[in-house]
Amino acid sequence: MAGQSRTFDPLDPEQAAKRAAARQRLDAIDPAKQQGGALKDPKRREWFEAVYALSGDDPANVPWGNMVAHPLLTNWLAKGPDLRGLTALDVGCGLGDNAAALAEGGAKVTAFDLVPRAAEWAQERFPGSNIEFQAADLFAPPPEWRGAFDLVHETYTLQALPAEILPAARQALTDLIKPGGRLLVISRARDEGQGSEGPPWPLARSDIEAFAACGLVLESLEDVPPVPTPSRHWRAVLRKPA
């Protein structure tokens, strides 16, 4: 599935400079960067909408628009989980690369983003795929999604949310998983008690283990050093009992 829009090359000095300038502009208008600002719009809808509205359809202006799947997802898929015939949901799909990687692994993929323009852009990039891209809210998803997916995948969604709504976000993710299905979480990591000025707010181990309150069983939790990514990460797989 070849993408059909402009690309982003982090090794290109011009594009890297554009990305850095975009991050600075977007940080300046992010309420979550101000004291108490995250709670004014805890889903951060207005800011995410602004990211895409100001991007000029240039992925260099979207901080997460790297135009390739996350390396920790790619590596996980390369280890051989058999997704053929399974239903998968990609949460916070952005420009669609993670969803495309899941589809290439054999899953029937639904992918959504809070921002309609993100879902539209992803669909434009992967017009020949069988991925269903759409706009949706994790906290108020379509009713037919409840308990509908063998695999729910989220990269960087939880870490983009203030701590006050993480319990609701964990429950919302859990509600989407079929009995016997799994949740894959990829996020930046921090130690317990380590502060974070965020956003993003890296997760502590306890943030992952707290899925137990939603009834999920932790199958694996990898503490990944800053290779191949530039920062330490968690990669967790959790299962909903059948």
Side-chain angles (χ1 to χ4, degrees):
M1 298 177 210
Q4 300 296 314
S5 67
R6 301 163 75 175
T7 61
F8 171 70
D9 180 1
L11 300 180
D12 182 304
E14 182 178 348
Q15 293 191 59
K18 185 182 293 186
R19 169 67 59 83
R23 284 182 180 273
Q24 187 173 12
R25 290 194 304 271
L26 293 167
D27 282 350
I29 63 171
D30 188 350
K33 292 289 187 181
Q34 309 301 321
Q35 186 70 31
L39 296 183
K40 295 178 182 178
D41 181 18
K43 297 179 186 177
R44 305 181 65 215
R45 181 191 296 270
E46 291 186 6
W47 183 77
F48 282 117
E49 289 176 344
V51 170
Y52 289 98
L54 298 172
S55 72
D57 291 345
D58 185 342
N61 291 325
V62 179
W64 46 88
N66 294 327
M67 312 300 270
V68 293
H70 194 284
L72 293 183
L73 173 61
T74 302
N75 173 265
W76 185 77
L77 291 169
K79 291 181 177 181
D82 189 357
L83 303 186
R84 290 174 297 178
L86 300 186
T87 54
L89 181 68
D90 183 44
V91 178
C93 67
L95 301 186
D97 295 282
N98 290 336
L102 292 168
E104 288 169 359
K108 179 180 179 182
V109 179
T110 301
F112 75 94
D113 200 279
L114 183 64
V115 181
R117 177 56 193 144
E120 293 168 0
W121 194 342
Q123 186 65 70
E124 291 165 5
R125 291 191 61 224
F126 300 99
S129 74
N130 59 357
I131 304 168
E132 181 182 354
F133 290 104
Q134 60 181 282
D137 184 339
L138 172 63
F139 298 93
E144 63 270 21
W145 287 6
R146 186 178 180 89
F149 297 97
D150 297 296
L151 175 68
V152 173
H153 158 259
E154 83 85 10
T155 290
Y156 292 175
T157 298
L158 291 175
Q159 70 173 39
L161 301 174
E164 289 78 3
I165 65 170
L166 282 183
R170 286 190 289 262
Q171 188 61 59
L173 290 167
T174 300
D175 290 344
L176 300 167
I177 308 168
K178 282 183 180 179
R182 287 174 170 79
L183 171 68
L184 172 63
V185 174
I186 296 171
S187 79
R188 292 178 177 87
R190 64 177 175 87
D191 291 328
E192 298 292 341
Q194 180 182 358
S196 173
E197 296 182 356
W201 296 278
L203 302 184
R205 184 184 185 96
S206 60
D207 293 318
I208 305 292
E209 293 174 338
F211 275 102
C214 304
L216 297 189
V217 177
L218 186 62
E219 288 195 338
S220 65
L221 178 56
E222 299 170 80
D223 190 340
V224 185
V227 177
T229 61
S231 58
R232 177 186 169 206
H233 278 64
W234 300 119
R235 181 169 59 191
V237 177
L238 304 104
R239 177 176 51 83
K240 178 182 279 190

